[in-house]
Each structure stands twice: as C-alpha cells, then as structure tokens.
Amino acid sequence: MPDAARAALRDVMAHERPVSNGCMKDVLLFAAARGYYAHPADWIPTFRGDNRFPAIYQPMVNWLAENGHIPFFEGVALTEGNFDGYSARTRCAAFRNLLRADRSAAYDLLLSVGARKNAQVRFELLSQIDAGGGFAGIYPTDVPVLQKFLNDPSKKVRGLVERKLESTWGLDTREAHAKAIAHHFTIGENGDLFIAPEFPEANLIQHCWSTDLDALARVLGVSSMELVSNVSLEDFKGNVFKLFPRTGDIEARKVLAKRLVTAGLECPASLIGVIAPEDWKKALRKTFKSELPSTVFDFLGDKAGTLDISMVRQIRHYSDLKSSVLEELNSGTLPINHTYDSLRILALVADKEAANAVMREAIDAGIAENNPRLAMLKFNLSL
C-alpha cells in the first residue's frame, strides 16, 4: 500500500479496535479487491484471535509460527510437520478449521499422524468430527473414517466413536439420506416436481445436510437438471433452499441461478459465481434490500469498492446515513456497533467517486471531518 493508505488503515484499526482477525477480514478483502495488501509492520494476524483472515495471509502466519515469532494458534494451518507444535486446545481448534476447509485433508491427517499418537490425542481429534452448526451428528463421509477406530485399544476412544456412529441411525450414505426424504418429492406426468408441505420428520435437517441434489435425483430416477428446471420456486425455501444448490452439475446450478434471479428471489451464496453476466446486476440489486451489513459486500466479492453513487443510494443502509449523523450529534456518542454503521457499510462497496460523495454528504449533515466514523471512507479514497 502507498504510505497514505497505510496511515488510513491504521486509523481504521484504531477506530475499530479489532480484537480478532475476523474484525479485519472485510477491510483486508476490500483492500485486496483494489490490489493491495497490508504491510506487515501495520498488521499481521493476531495469535490471540481466530483463523478468519484472507487466505493470502496464510503463508505469513505459518512462517511466523514455524520460525518461533508467534505461538501456534488455530489460525496456523495444521500439517503433519507442525502437528506437535500446538497445545492440545489450539490443535483441536486448528483441526476443526481443517475439517471445515478440507475434510479429506483432515481425514488423511487423522489417519496418518493422529493414529500414531496416544489415546488422548486420538480422542481429542475424533471429538472434533461432527456436522458443526448444521445439526447434531456426523456426515456420511465421516462414517468410514470413524469406523477405522472401532477397534481402537482405548475404551474411551471406542466409546466416543460408537456414540458418533449411532447418531446416523444406520443411514451412512448420501443415498440413504436421500431415500429417507424421497417420498416428499413427486414427479408429475409432465415432469413437474411437487414437494409435500414442510417435512414432518424430526431429523429433516440432518437428512438434507447429509445428502445432495444428485443423490436425490438418482433415487427419484431423474436428473439434477430436471429437478432444478421443474421445482416450483414457491417451494424454494427452508431445507429445499439449502439442498437444491448442492449439485455437481454446473449447468444445473446455472439454470437454478437463472430461474431465481429472473423471479427476483434471493440467490444462495453458493450460486453467486454461476449467475449469468446479463443477470448479475439484477441479482446485485436484490441484495440492496438486506438488513445485514455484509450482504452487498459478500455478493460483490473481488468487485468490492466498484459501485457508483447511483447504486450506493439504492442500498437500504444509505437511508440511515444522515439520521445516524444526527443521532450522534444529539447523543454525543459514537455508534457502539461499528459493523452496522452505514458509513462503514457504504465505504466497503463504493467506488472512489461514490465514497467521496458519501463523505461530503455526511459532513454536510454535521459530522466533523476528523470524526473516526469517516476512517473507512478515507481508506477507500486512499487506495
């Protein structure tokens, strides 16, 4: 970054007082979209934080830990070579992160290195294998790996594995979970797909997260393309919203995205990358209505910081700009939740001309030019 941008980044950090790597992630991704990265003298991922920093900084983090400059923490990528460098707690956190990022690599590490360690280490690593926030249980892909530990010398390890395997109710493949919900899907004579009202099974979420559209299509005797082409978009909500985008058929994913955008419906994050170029702006404008501060930014991805002022003014958070300034003037205090500050939200998506316009509007509304709430807009203008 040029010196002016480095100074502006430090001002952003001083205002937001980031206490974790996740607090800085969107700021750094914005800079990366403009082609810049933080100077190590200004920012490096903190070992007192999490692993939520842009991937471009991963080699730096690994090098710092492996050369003794920082402790091994969960943000350091767990490998066979550095396995023994972690405390038990941080190794578990790092293994959990690896499960989320690359489950196959996590399995390989568990079976190669973990299996050679003592029973407590095996128990700690195996304890991390679950579905995360999706549901209480394990995925079908976890089953073959866990089964390898059913004859473990440790009774404690065997008991843990048995309990985890019991949570599948004997449904240990994607196809098995697809069969469990297939009776809720009916194919009409003309190919229309009918979906029963919200499934009554208590374990519906687990079934849907444990299978994919391709497995369901095989069970129903049709193709994934036929399912996405014929599903009623009125049914595209809840668990159907989660299940249908999960297909390896790229053309089916494109068709589904096209149908959703054309109908003016929300497009799942996993489909953003396959939206047709001619539909992209329409899908983008749909995000403008979101109350969540990161929706527009996340949709833009590496196009962050490119919206002109006409588009910025369509974002719902723009309407809060002047009122938030007046509220601050009246209360004499800065907004407590920086994430929901309209000035910050708009600064991360606006092009330079729009960022300058937003800043002038805030100043005209009464905000002082040295107010730290303007730090993100100034950072935008500095890059």
Side-chain angles (χ1 to χ4, degrees):
M1 291 183 189
D3 290 343
R6 290 181 59 189
L9 176 62
R10 292 192 292 269
D11 287 342
V12 168
M13 294 169 62
H15 172 49
E16 301 208 350
R17 295 184 180 87
V19 293
S20 70
N21 299 314
C23 293
M24 284 294 293
K25 186 173 182 179
D26 54 2
V27 181
L28 297 168
L29 287 173
F30 170 81
R34 290 272 174 91
Y36 295 99
Y37 303 96
H39 193 292
D42 300 326
W43 182 85
I44 58 172
T46 173
F47 60 84
R48 293 185 177 88
D50 47 41
N51 71 319
R52 294 180 58 232
F53 49 80
I56 190 68
Y57 297 93
Q58 189 67 63
M60 176 200 298
V61 172
N62 295 349
W63 185 91
L64 288 169
E66 290 163 3
N67 286 276
H69 299 291
I70 61 173
F72 280 85
F73 73 108
E74 69 168 277
V76 181
L78 179 63
T79 66
E80 181 173 355
N82 65 22
F83 190 90
D84 295 324
Y86 298 80
S87 68
R89 182 183 64 80
T90 55
R91 181 168 51 232
C92 285
F95 184 67
R96 196 161 53 244
N97 293 333
L98 183 58
L99 280 166
R100 284 193 290 264
D102 188 340
R103 218 162 180 87
S104 294
Y107 295 153
D108 291 342
L109 189 69
L110 172 64
L111 295 172
S112 60
V113 184
R116 299 198 300 266
K117 300 297 181 180
N118 62 46
Q120 182 59 29
V121 172
R122 293 197 301 278
F123 180 85
E124 290 167 352
L125 295 181
L126 287 164
S127 296
Q128 309 311 310
I129 297 181
D130 56 36
F135 58 88
I138 60 174
Y139 293 115
T141 55
D142 298 330
V143 172
V145 178
L146 290 169
Q147 287 175 335
K148 294 181 183 296
F149 292 88
L150 283 173
N151 296 318
D152 193 274
S154 166
K155 181 179 179 180
K156 182 179 179 181
V157 170
R158 294 196 304 272
L160 172 67
V161 169
E162 288 168 0
R163 290 192 298 275
K164 285 185 175 291
L165 290 173
E166 286 171 359
S167 71
T168 67
W169 322 294
L171 304 178
D172 54 9
T173 65
R174 290 189 179 94
E175 283 70 21
H177 283 278
K179 289 177 182 177
I181 59 174
H183 60 285
H184 292 289
F185 298 83
T186 305
I187 309 295
E189 292 183 2
N190 60 354
D192 288 342
L193 176 65
F194 300 98
I195 304 176
E198 195 61 36
F199 313 166
E201 282 94 342
N203 303 311
L204 169 64
I205 293 177
Q206 183 159 356
H207 291 316
C208 289
W209 279 106
S210 297
T211 191
D212 54 36
L213 191 67
D214 301 325
L216 178 61
R218 287 193 293 272
V219 170
L220 294 175
V222 295
S223 68
S224 295
M225 178 65 82
E226 288 175 283
L227 291 182
V228 300
S229 299
N230 294 293
V231 63
S232 168
L233 296 184
E234 292 182 358
D235 293 323
F236 202 72
K237 56 189 175 183
N239 290 289
V240 173
F241 185 87
K242 297 181 180 71
L243 173 61
F244 270 59
R246 296 205 305 277
T247 170
D249 186 337
I250 185 65
E251 294 305 316
R253 297 177 73 232
K254 289 180 179 179
V255 167
L256 181 57
K258 181 78 172 181
R259 292 192 65 203
L260 291 170
V261 174
T262 301
L265 298 177
E266 179 184 356
C267 215
S270 59
L271 295 181
I272 291 175
V274 298
I275 295 173
E278 64 270 19
D279 297 326
W280 191 84
K281 282 192 175 181
K282 183 175 182 179
L284 170 64
R285 287 191 173 89
K286 178 66 179 178
T287 68
F288 291 172
K289 300 177 182 179
S290 174
E291 294 185 4
L292 296 176
S294 62
T295 302
V296 180
F297 178 78
D298 291 341
F299 183 93
L300 287 171
D302 59 10
K303 295 183 179 67
T306 61
L307 301 188
D308 62 34
I309 190 60
S310 68
M311 300 192 82
V312 167
R313 286 174 176 154
Q314 296 174 46
I315 300 173
R316 75 171 307 279
H317 298 284
Y318 174 81
S319 63
D320 300 330
L321 191 161
K322 292 183 180 179
S323 61
S324 71
V325 172
L326 294 175
E327 181 180 348
E328 180 188 339
L329 291 172
N330 292 331
S331 66
T333 58
L334 295 172
I336 295 175
N337 191 335
H338 300 310
T339 303
Y340 277 84
D341 186 349
S342 56
L343 295 176
R344 182 188 194 278
I345 295 167
L346 301 177
L348 288 169
V349 299
D351 64 20
K352 285 191 176 185
E353 185 176 344
N356 187 59
V358 169
M359 186 162 67
R360 296 318 309 173
E361 289 181 29
I363 292 171
D364 290 344
I367 199 170
E369 294 195 27
N370 63 349
N371 190 308
R373 289 182 62 198
L374 299 177
M376 198 75 79
L377 284 163
K378 292 177 180 177
F379 182 53
N380 180 314
L381 294 169
S382 69
L383 287 176

